[in-house]
């Protein structure tokens, strides 16, 4: 939290030029230089007993200060020692010290005391110091080495951006050299109290130190959240607006409310009157505090724009429709950010990349602030996508307040391509079916092959007359009788369930006494029982050329010939 104060004058009559923000405050220090000469108790040339009132006001004010260091320097013939306390830890000791002070000294050596204090407290970055000087007299160190000009010179050299000097004259006139010297410095104030009176110490801190209203062309009314922190019990703060640049164009800015007390508030600003020229403006919100109250800062810059909205467009320059990246591979996409004349703020950009895909923007993880006219390189790297997986990265952007962002271009989908083996695995079910079919066919073939290798029956063959040669056959698989007798070319027998199947060529015929009856014709493809003779005929249907009787394996105990 930043603590510092300045007394506001009406209508921003005192305002420093806007500068770069100084380093942040790390510590706070309040230095109280208290006149302890006898005149503060009405002795000598004293006009009133004022010292007990000073003590009471210091005690009251101490109890309202933020965490800080307080320094007390009682003085009359120069500084009379120094005591330091840390608040709030040592508040009780600080109060006891103030209540124990006595005003019994001689003379009022203000300049000598100020120079001693300034030399003992050289400037330190990050420390904000406020000097309070309480006196009911004027410097009477006629032979002393210092004058007010020396004090002013020392302050010029070491006064920090948050340091203030508050000179409180208690019923005494302020010398011209003091008025002129302090008046030449920033952050110095003089307050003159009546005889026997002590001003009520108070302080305000106004936050934030800069107000941004956005673009009032789009919305003529804007709100700003502010906080007013108080030390002591100061009276309400008055708000005034200095908008000279607008008034020259017949326009003006108004703010409500115009009075604030400690706490959080919402300020409403409205642009009234004629339309100003397009551009960017800075008005000043002047903070006018009541007498005796410090306020930091005196005036707050109120920045706003009056122009068409800024527009941003991200344009692809070298972007394919889709990407295929194997694991570890990368691709770079090129874009360019375009904007109109009012697009001056950077556009925060990032890429939402799915798990397994890494994205960098101009070599950084993002988000990245990109200004109009700048190029963008998006590098996509496949870190851990799965085979065949397709992911869709996407841009994310937040347009600056009051600006417009064209729809962001879609990024190309990224796929990790599959290998041939991975593609085949996609059809595992089909491969499994093919494998099962292959195994089935193989088993059928093996079954047939095995059946062909194993005897299934025996046969007695009788050849044509007049010799009628007889042969014994062992039957395996499908038996071609043409290998036994050339007259039987094309005749085949084979096991068919519990009977024997027969294949006959067209030029031959066959008969068999089926069921013990007279021989009947056996057609091609028909079956006949085991043990039943089959007679074969050629061109002459009455002339037998051979006969064959088939028995089950082991049905007859005769020597065999393999067929």
């Amino acid at each position: 939290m930043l603590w510092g104060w300045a007394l506001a004058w009406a209508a921003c009559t005192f305002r420093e030029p806007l500068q770069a923000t100084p380093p942040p405050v790390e510590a706070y220090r309040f230095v109280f230089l208290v006149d302890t000469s006898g005149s503060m108790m009405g002795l000598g040339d004293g006009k009133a007993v004022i010292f007990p009132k000073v003590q009471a006001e210091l005690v009251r004010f101490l109890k309202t200060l933020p965490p800080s260091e307080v320094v007390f320097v009682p003085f009359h013939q120069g500084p009379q020692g120094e005591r330091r306390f840390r608040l709030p830890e040592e508040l009780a000791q600080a109060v006891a010290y103030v209540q124990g002070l006595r005003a019994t000294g001689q003379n009022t050596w203000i300049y000598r005391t100020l120079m001693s204090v300034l030399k003992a407290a050289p400037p330190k970055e990050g420390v904000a110091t406020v000097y309070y000087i309480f006196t009911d007299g004027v410097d009477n160190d006629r032979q002393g080495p210092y004058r007010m000009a020396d004090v002013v010179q020392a302050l010029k050299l070491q006064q920090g951006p948050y340091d203030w000097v508050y000179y409180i004259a208690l019923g005494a006139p302020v010398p011209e050299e003091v008025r002129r010297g302090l008046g030449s410095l920033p952050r110095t104030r003089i307050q003159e109290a009546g005889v026997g009176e002590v001003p009520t110490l108070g302080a305000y801190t106004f936050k934030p130190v800069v107000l941004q209203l956005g673009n009032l062309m789009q919305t003529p009314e804007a709100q700003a959240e502010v906080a007013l922190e108080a030390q002591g019990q100061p009276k309400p703060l008055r708000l005034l607006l200095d908008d000279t640049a607008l008034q020259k164009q017949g326009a003006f800015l108004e703010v409500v409310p115009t009075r604030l007390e400690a706490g959080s508030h919402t300020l409403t600003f409205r642009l009234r009157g004629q339309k100003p020229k397009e551009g960017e403006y800075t008005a000043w919100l002047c903070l006018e505090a009541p007498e005796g109250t410090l306020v930091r800062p005196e005036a707050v810059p109120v920045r706003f724009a009056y122009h068409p909205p800024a527009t941003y467009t991200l344009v692809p320059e070298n972007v394919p429709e889709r990407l295929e990246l194997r694991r570890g591979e990368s691709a770079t996409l090129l874009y360019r950010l375009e904007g109109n004349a009012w697009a001056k703020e950077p556009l925060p950009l990032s890429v939402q990349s799915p798990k397994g895909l890494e994205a960098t923007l101009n070599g950084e993880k993002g988000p990245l602030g990109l200004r109009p006219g700048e190029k963008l390189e998006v590098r996509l790297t496949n870190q851990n996508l799965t085979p065949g997986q397709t992911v869709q990265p996407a841009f994310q952007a937040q347009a600056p307040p009051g600006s417009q962002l064209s729809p962001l271009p879609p990024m190309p989908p990224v796929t990790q391509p599959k290998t041939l083996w991975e593609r085949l695995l996609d059809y595992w079910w089909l491969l499994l079916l093919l494998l099962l079919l292959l195994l089935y066919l193989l088993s059928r073939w093996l079954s047939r092959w095995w059946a062909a290798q194993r005897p299934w029956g025996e046969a007695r063959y009788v050849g044509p007359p007049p010799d009628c040669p007889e042969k014994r056959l062992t039957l395996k698989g499908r038996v071609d009788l043409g290998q036994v007798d050339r007259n039987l070319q094309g005749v085949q027998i084979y096991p068919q369930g519990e009977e024997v199947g027969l294949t006959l060529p067209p030029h031959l015929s066959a008969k068999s006494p089926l069921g013990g009856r007279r021989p009947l014709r056996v057609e091609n493809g028909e079956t006949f029982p085991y043990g039943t003779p089959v007679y074969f005929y050629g061109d002459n249907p009455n002339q037998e050329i051979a006969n064959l009787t088939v028995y089950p394996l082991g049905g007859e105990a005769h020597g065999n010939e393999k067929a």
Side-chain angles (χ1 to χ4, degrees), residues 317-364:
E317 288 193 335
N318 183 18
V319 180
E321 290 186 2
R322 59 185 305 108
L323 287 172
E324 289 192 352
L325 298 177
R326 292 180 173 83
R327 186 168 296 183
E329 289 185 340
S330 299
T332 299
L333 314 177
L334 299 180
Y335 298 85
R336 183 183 72 259
L337 184 63
E338 296 180 349
N340 63 4
W342 304 109
K344 300 177 181 179
E345 297 294 322
L347 178 69
L349 271 172
S350 62
V351 171
Q352 183 180 23
S353 55
K355 184 178 180 181
L357 184 69
E358 181 187 66
T360 60
L361 294 83
N362 289 350
E364 301 179 6

Side-chain angles (χ1 to χ4, degrees), residues 24-61:
V25 173
E26 300 173 359
Y28 314 101
R29 179 171 54 192
F30 298 86
V31 181
F32 299 96
L33 288 77
V34 183
D35 186 349
T36 57
S37 62
S39 62
M40 295 283 284
M41 290 298 294
L43 303 176
D45 58 355
K47 300 177 182 178
V49 178
I50 195 66
F51 194 71
K53 294 183 179 180
V54 172
Q55 290 174 296
E57 182 59 25
L58 286 174
V59 168
R60 187 196 64 80
F61 192 53

Side-chain angles (χ1 to χ4, degrees), residues 295-310:
V295 60
R296 168 70 182 182
E298 293 177 282
V300 175
V302 180
R303 297 174 180 168
F304 63 94
Y306 190 84
H307 55 65

Side-chain angles (χ1 to χ4, degrees), residues 18 42 93 139 180 196 224 259 271 350 381 413:
L18 187 63
Q93 295 93 315
D139 187 278
R180 184 171 56 252
R259 297 175 69 84
L271 184 61
S350 62
T381 303

Side-chain angles (χ1 to χ4, degrees), residues 63 142 203 289 307-308 319 367 385 496:
K63 294 179 180 179
R142 305 305 178 195
H307 55 65
V319 180
L385 297 179
Q496 183 74 32

Side-chain angles (χ1 to χ4, degrees), residues 121-138:
K124 184 177 180 181
E125 187 174 298
V127 177
T129 303
V130 180
Y131 298 91
Y132 290 88
I133 305 163
F134 292 87
T135 182
D136 69 341
V138 296

